[in-house]
Amino acid sequence: MSFRTIDFLFAVVLVLTNMMGYSQQKVAFGTLTTAEKNLSTYEQDTLAHAVVLYERGDNYFEVINRRIYLVKEYHTKIKVLDELGLDYATISIPLYKNGSSVEKIKKLQAITHVDGTQYRVLPSEIFTKDVSDYKSIESFTFPKATQGSILEYNYKMISPFVFNFNGWAFQSEIPKIYSEFNAKIPGNYRYNRTLTGNLKLDLNEAKIQKQCFHIAGYPKDADCEVLKYAMRGIPAFKAAKQFMLSEKNYISRLDFELSENHRLDGVTDKYTKSWKDVDEEFRTDQDIGRQLTKNVFFEKNVRGSLLVHQDPLIRAKNIYSFIRNHYTWDGQYGVYGKARVKEAFEERKGSASEINMSLINLLNAGDIKTNLMLISTRESGLPKRNHPVMSDFNYAIAKVEIDGKTYLLDATDKFMPFGMLPFRALNHYGRVMDFKEDSYWFNIQPENENSYFVRANVKFDVEKGKALGVLDVVTQGYEAIETHKNLKSLSPQAYIEQMEQSIGDDYTIISHEFYEERSDERRASERFSFEVDNILQGNRVYINPFFVLFFKENPFKLEKRNYPVDLGYGRMYKYQLSMVIPEGYNVAELPEKQVVHMGDKIVTLEFYNQQMPGQISILFKLALNKSHILADDYEPLKKVFEHVTDIQRNSLVVLEKDGERSRK
């Protein structure tokens, strides 16, 4: 991931020639080039289902009825390359509203180009749907769309929200041949802007146009900043199905954020503030700052013994356990907007912010130093560090200091032990709002003792030709939490069926036992008894020694990945097998040992076997020692997991009946 602030006052103009022949002039709506008509495969991405041939946006400001509006014009052409590309034939345009202030679409045109014929979207085929009090969707579907079609549309949006000048996404899930963004900004509006992603601009141009913006009644016209940014040959952003943070962190785009508005009446509205300004606002904010001053309420409404234990760590754990069990999380994050901890406490239900602010209040009432920590969840993107962007934060947790040690707490999850955060909150860092001092950044360190350990013991019933085995499974850390959740949410039979899916169709689990005395919040110990029918067949028997598969397939399937692998937390998988050699058989072959280390032991893979009198032992160990693995290490990581899946699926113990080898 790379972040680069664009200096719009001193931009360098790069000569840009689009491969489809586009110039820097607007392309007339409804016209196609010969190259566009003839394109059947996109050579730069032959697996693409569709490709954006051309895309242009123009953002500017306009005075309508003595009010300043933001105007957004958009024009694009998409080529459908195969049947799956027809997914892009339905278009949805989000529109924002706030009371009587609403965004509106003007002059929407849409055409399906099919073999020289144009099919237009009629006004009656355009639909608007409210999805919330603040958002609606205008949508339509291109008629007659088929493989080889070109889908073209443009529109003009009028917005009363000048802060909604929010940028441009150059990259998307399909490739783009050419994408251009233009803007004309009156000098009284100041925007911070950031280029995200690892792609470089092919065109980066800025200039000043004098006296370009006029409002009737004001004697002086404003100068404008005129911007032009473009990229060509933009690859599709291919998101991984797992082990990644939000694609917002990596997708190539240009973000704008309103910093200041110098109004024509001489008043300046500042939107981007310093952290000192933000800290002061939070102290007095009714929905956050004041909600953290309810210590007395909580002291009066909990049993006194909760707050008096001499050991502060035990006191903190008791308070955490009380809040975690008292509340039911309603699924809402609730950082901004109405937050009322008293009402939530009485109703025993609340948002994440209400629950965790209640926790902070009660910990402080128990004389345990605790602060609010604002974070962004994994799916929401990383907060910007260079200046406060409060909309980057969507979640709140508690930061506790006890005897010089820090604990991060989130009481929304009834299975989460003291000092561990839910997976959604493992997003690297957050901002601690210390209302007595200045706020500061603080890193999130995930639990490092996370493991999945299986000890298998297998013997054979030669007469019946079956294998009988026991799996002792011990999980720890986040792996144990997952076990506890599954045991709670699934019926015994469903839980057994889930385990059977991890070992294969020929295996039957005949019993399961959970060991309460060997388990706690961070650890789960259980035993499965299983059998495999018809495993001893013929004179030569092939047995896969893995009666549990940690990974049925390689989770890293992308050919290339230009962004990090983020596991959330490091983890270790260990499988240990002791197998009794069946009577009347001998060992003909054992799988080869393998030892693979990636980098400075970022990932280690070990696979050993040993034959002893009457039995075979197998040891498999995979340690993922870092939770965040850089993009440069993706290929080595992918190779390691090719070994992992190959070992689990293709390792064979070969048994022969006694005397078979001598007959050969």
Side-chain angles (χ1 to χ4, degrees):
M1 176 181 63
S2 64
F3 293 92
R4 183 154 55 95
T5 302
I6 300 173
D7 186 345
F8 58 87
L9 296 176
F10 301 98
V12 178
V13 179
L14 303 176
V15 177
L16 176 65
T17 304
N18 180 268
M19 62 181 291
M20 297 298 288
Y22 293 124
S23 70
Q24 295 178 28
Q25 302 300 315
K26 281 188 176 182
V27 171
F29 184 80
T31 62
L32 301 179
T33 67
T34 301
E36 289 172 337
K37 296 175 185 176
N38 295 337
L39 181 71
S40 58
T41 302
Y42 185 49
E43 294 298 329
Q44 282 71 22
D45 186 352
T46 55
L47 298 178
H49 306 301
V51 59
V52 174
L53 304 170
Y54 170 82
E55 180 183 49
R56 175 173 173 140
D58 289 85
N59 283 15
Y60 54 92
F61 294 81
E62 194 171 276
V63 179
I64 303 173
N65 296 326
R66 295 184 59 81
R67 181 177 176 179
I68 300 175
Y69 286 83
L70 172 63
V71 181
K72 297 182 178 184
E73 295 185 10
Y74 182 77
H75 181 196
T76 191
K77 292 187 276 188
I78 304 169
K79 182 86 175 197
V80 178
L81 299 176
D82 61 25
E83 291 296 318
L84 293 178
L86 294 174
D87 289 346
Y88 301 96
T90 296
I91 304 299
S92 296
I93 305 168
L95 299 170
Y96 299 96
K97 54 185 178 176
N98 188 4
S100 60
S101 297
V102 296
E103 292 183 331
K104 296 180 180 179
I105 295 290
K106 304 287 187 182
K107 301 179 181 177
L108 172 60
Q109 303 178 90
I111 296 174
T112 309
H113 300 270
V114 185
D115 297 329
T117 303
Q118 294 183 350
Y119 300 94
R120 290 185 175 269
V121 174
L122 302 176
S124 60
E125 298 171 323
I126 302 171
F127 305 95
T128 302
K129 179 182 178 181
D130 290 332
V131 294
S132 73
D133 291 340
Y134 302 100
K135 185 178 178 181
S136 62
I137 297 290
E138 191 155 314
S139 62
F140 62 89
T141 298
F142 284 94
K144 307 291 185 180
T146 186
Q147 181 175 338
S149 301
I150 294 176
L151 315 175
E152 182 179 17
Y153 70 99
N154 70 0
Y155 63 83
K156 182 177 182 179
M157 177 194 294
I158 310 296
S159 174
F161 309 119
V162 295
F163 58 82
N164 204 21
F165 186 97
N166 47 18
W168 185 257
F170 288 101
Q171 202 171 22
S172 71
E173 61 184 11
I174 59 174
K176 297 180 181 181
I177 292 175
Y178 184 77
S179 180
E180 177 181 308
F181 177 70
N182 297 271
K184 191 174 183 180
I185 305 173
N188 52 304
Y189 293 110
R190 300 291 178 88
Y191 289 86
N192 295 319
R193 63 207 73 182
T194 305
L195 182 65
T196 299
N198 60 3
L199 301 180
K200 295 182 179 180
L201 292 165
D202 288 298
L203 184 65
N204 179 353
E205 179 181 296
K207 61 185 179 181
I208 300 298
Q209 182 178 338
K210 295 290 186 179
Q211 299 180 344
C212 75
F213 191 70
H214 173 75
I215 297 180
Y218 290 89
K220 187 176 181 181
D221 293 346
D223 296 340
C224 292
E225 182 186 19
V226 181
L227 308 171
K228 184 184 292 290
Y229 305 109
M231 288 185 185
R232 62 173 179 168
I234 307 164
F237 182 85
K238 297 181 180 179
K241 291 184 178 180
Q242 55 183 327
F243 300 140
M244 71 173 290
L245 297 178
S246 170
E247 65 180 47
K248 296 177 185 177
N249 298 319
Y250 315 118
I251 196 165
S252 289
R253 70 183 194 277
L254 186 62
D255 289 334
F256 284 77
E257 180 200 7
L258 184 60
S259 172
E260 294 181 1
N261 176 15
H262 298 278
R263 299 195 325 220
L264 298 179
D265 59 6
V267 176
T268 297
D269 296 321
K270 289 189 176 183
Y271 296 92
T272 300
K273 305 178 186 298
S274 69
W275 277 110
K276 283 187 177 292
D277 296 329
V278 172
D279 293 348
E280 183 57 33
E281 288 181 5
F282 265 70
R283 289 186 186 99
T284 58
D285 181 76
Q286 185 174 355
D287 290 315
I288 295 182
R290 293 184 185 178
Q291 298 303 305
L292 294 172
T293 60
K294 309 297 183 183
N295 302 14
V296 175
F297 169 82
F298 285 95
E299 284 184 86
K300 290 180 178 179
N301 285 275
V302 300
R303 64 183 187 275
S305 60
L306 193 63
L307 306 177
V308 296
H309 197 287
Q310 283 189 328
D311 187 323
L313 182 57
I314 294 177
R315 191 161 68 246
K317 287 182 176 180
N318 290 341
I319 292 170
Y320 172 77
S321 180
F322 170 80
I323 292 291
R324 185 186 61 179
N325 295 327
H326 178 84
Y327 283 95
T328 296
W329 180 40
D330 64 9
Q332 301 298 312
Y333 293 168
V335 171
Y336 306 109
K338 184 177 180 181
R340 298 293 180 266
V341 294
K342 289 184 180 180
E343 289 86 339
F345 181 83
E346 290 165 355
E347 294 173 4
R348 304 174 70 94
K349 182 179 181 180
S351 68
S353 292
E354 289 169 332
I355 293 171
N356 288 328
M357 284 193 288
S358 299
L359 175 64
I360 294 168
N361 275 296
L362 196 51
L363 286 166
N364 281 317
D367 198 27
I368 297 169
K369 180 176 170 53
T370 309
N371 292 120
L372 177 79
M373 181 167 163
L374 295 176
I375 67 169
S376 173
T377 52
R378 290 174 64 88
E379 78 277 5
S380 186
L382 289 164
K384 298 178 183 66
R385 283 180 175 266
N386 51 353
H387 61 273
V389 182
M390 300 316 295
S391 59
D392 282 354
F393 301 97
N394 69 333
Y395 204 81
I397 60 175
K399 176 181 176 289
V400 181
E401 297 284 342
I402 301 174
D403 295 333
K405 187 173 181 180
T406 299
Y407 302 88
L408 300 182
L409 306 178
D410 180 350
T412 60
D413 190 326
K414 294 187 182 300
F415 292 91
M416 200 58 53
F418 182 91
M420 289 179 64
L421 295 176
F423 185 76
R424 61 179 172 271
L426 300 180
N427 199 24
H428 291 268
Y429 56 83
R431 188 79 179 184
V432 179
M433 308 306 293
D434 188 336
F435 296 138
K436 293 182 180 179
E437 304 292 340
D438 294 335
S439 64
Y440 56 92
W441 294 105
F442 190 81
N443 290 336
I444 296 171
Q445 299 292 343
E447 169 71 26
N448 54 17
E449 297 291 335
N450 308 289
S451 61
Y452 194 133
F453 177 38
V454 178
R455 181 184 287 109
N457 289 280
V458 178
K459 60 183 180 179
F460 296 88
D461 184 330
V462 177
E463 185 176 335
K464 295 182 179 179
K466 67 168 59 175
L468 305 171
V470 171
L471 300 173
D472 287 310
V473 180
V474 178
T475 50
Q476 195 165 347
Y478 284 101
E479 303 297 324
I481 291 169
E482 191 66 24
T483 299
H484 287 307
K485 287 184 176 180
N486 287 335
L487 284 167
K488 182 71 173 179
S489 62
L490 299 175
S491 68
Q493 183 58 37
Y495 186 75
I496 287 175
E497 289 174 358
Q498 183 187 71
M499 186 63 179
E500 284 179 335
Q501 290 175 4
S502 71
I503 57 180
D505 297 334
D506 297 329
Y507 300 75
T508 302
I509 292 176
I510 55 179
S511 69
H512 168 252
E513 185 175 0
F514 180 76
Y515 296 118
E516 291 278 359
E517 68 280 4
R518 303 178 194 171
S519 304
D520 56 32
E521 288 185 321
R522 296 172 183 260
R523 178 184 174 90
S525 179
E526 50 191 334
R527 168 172 284 190
F528 299 86
S529 297
F530 70 95
E531 60 182 33
V532 188
D533 291 327
N534 302 318
I535 197 169
L536 294 179
Q537 297 290 320
N539 295 325
R540 192 171 175 88
V541 179
Y542 299 86
I543 299 173
N544 186 330
F546 284 89
F547 293 91
V548 169
L549 298 180
F550 296 123
F551 295 92
K552 286 191 172 183
E553 57 185 21
N554 191 338
F556 304 107
K557 294 182 176 181
L558 293 179
E559 183 178 349
K560 293 182 180 180
R561 178 164 168 162
N562 297 319
Y563 48 88
V565 172
D566 196 282
L567 306 170
Y569 54 88
R571 73 276 308 264
M572 190 263 287
Y573 301 92
K574 187 176 180 181
Y575 178 81
Q576 187 174 319
L577 168 71
S578 178
M579 186 169 72
V580 176
I581 300 171
E583 186 176 352
Y585 286 81
N586 60 69
V587 178
E589 293 179 27
L590 290 174
E592 292 184 5
K593 76 171 186 178
Q594 294 190 48
V595 178
V596 181
H597 291 173
M598 189 188 112
D600 186 18
K601 295 189 177 180
I602 297 173
V603 179
T604 62
L605 170 63
E606 300 174 10
F607 178 51
Y608 301 103
N609 65 74
Q610 185 178 7
Q611 182 177 350
M612 296 166 287
Q615 69 178 32
I616 299 165
S617 65
I618 297 286
L619 176 64
F620 171 92
K621 183 179 177 182
L622 173 65
L624 304 169
N625 297 313
K626 288 190 175 181
S627 62
H628 193 78
I629 299 173
L630 300 178
D632 290 344
D633 291 320
Y634 176 69
E635 282 301 321
L637 180 66
K638 186 177 177 181
K639 291 288 185 185
V640 170
F641 271 83
E642 287 175 1
H643 287 285
V644 169
T645 52
D646 180 64
I647 288 171
Q648 291 181 119
R649 287 195 166 279
N650 300 317
S651 297
L652 292 175
V653 172
V654 182
L655 304 177
E656 287 183 338
K657 279 190 174 180
D658 291 343
E660 182 66 21
R661 184 171 296 181
S662 62
R663 285 195 292 272
K664 292 179 181 178

